[in-house]
Amino acid sequence: MEVQIFGNRKSADTRKALRFFAERRVTTHFVDLARKAPSQRELARFAQRFGAEAVIDRDAPRYAELGLHAAHLSPERILERAETEPRILRTPLIRWRNHVLVGFDEETLRAWVAEAGA
């Protein structure tokens, strides 16, 4: 089992997800959103499953700094902006095979581990 986690080291939920998989000796590929944004295709996977609104963190400080709270853009347009400003994304974004998850949900992650037999 190998999972990919998009997140920020300062995010408590990202750290929880990394610790969850580390405790189960699951290989993780961590992408630090402070250094690199996910591709448009990666973001589309999460948006297709949960909707663009669920992927955007409207409470993120960077969201307000960019003036997006007053811009009245559609969630899809804001998601396009996230390609260049990944700090407006809700973290962590977790992907395993065809499964995706926005945020930390231990019950879902336990089901993935059980399904993988890890």
Side-chain angles (χ1 to χ4, degrees):
M1 178 177 194
E2 292 184 17
V3 297
Q4 186 172 27
I5 301 175
F6 296 92
N8 183 334
R9 294 241 184 236
K10 294 180 181 179
S11 162
D13 283 345
T14 299
R15 291 191 311 267
K16 283 182 196 176
L18 289 168
R19 186 172 47 250
F20 175 87
F21 289 115
E23 289 171 354
R24 288 153 182 82
R25 293 189 170 100
V26 173
T27 304
T28 58
H29 298 282
F30 177 69
V31 178
D32 189 353
L33 294 177
R35 297 181 186 200
K36 183 181 177 192
S39 69
Q40 181 180 10
R41 187 173 175 188
E42 285 289 346
L43 285 177
R45 287 181 186 177
F46 292 96
Q48 284 174 347
R49 173 71 168 88
F50 296 101
E53 186 67 36
V55 179
I56 302 298
D57 184 3
R58 292 188 182 271
D59 295 328
R62 186 66 180 154
Y63 187 87
E65 289 171 12
L66 294 171
L68 295 174
H69 63 287
H72 303 293
L73 298 174
S74 70
E76 291 76 19
R77 293 285 306 227
I78 295 172
L79 196 58
E80 289 174 12
R81 184 68 184 262
E83 293 175 40
T84 57
E85 291 289 344
R87 293 186 297 167
I88 66 171
L89 294 171
R90 190 175 314 268
T91 58
L93 301 173
I94 307 171
R95 182 172 65 85
W96 172 63
R97 293 184 181 166
N98 293 326
H99 302 285
V100 292
L101 179 64
V102 176
F104 180 77
D105 179 10
E106 188 169 345
E107 185 176 315
T108 300
L109 297 180
R110 284 182 186 276
W112 290 5
V113 171
E115 183 181 333

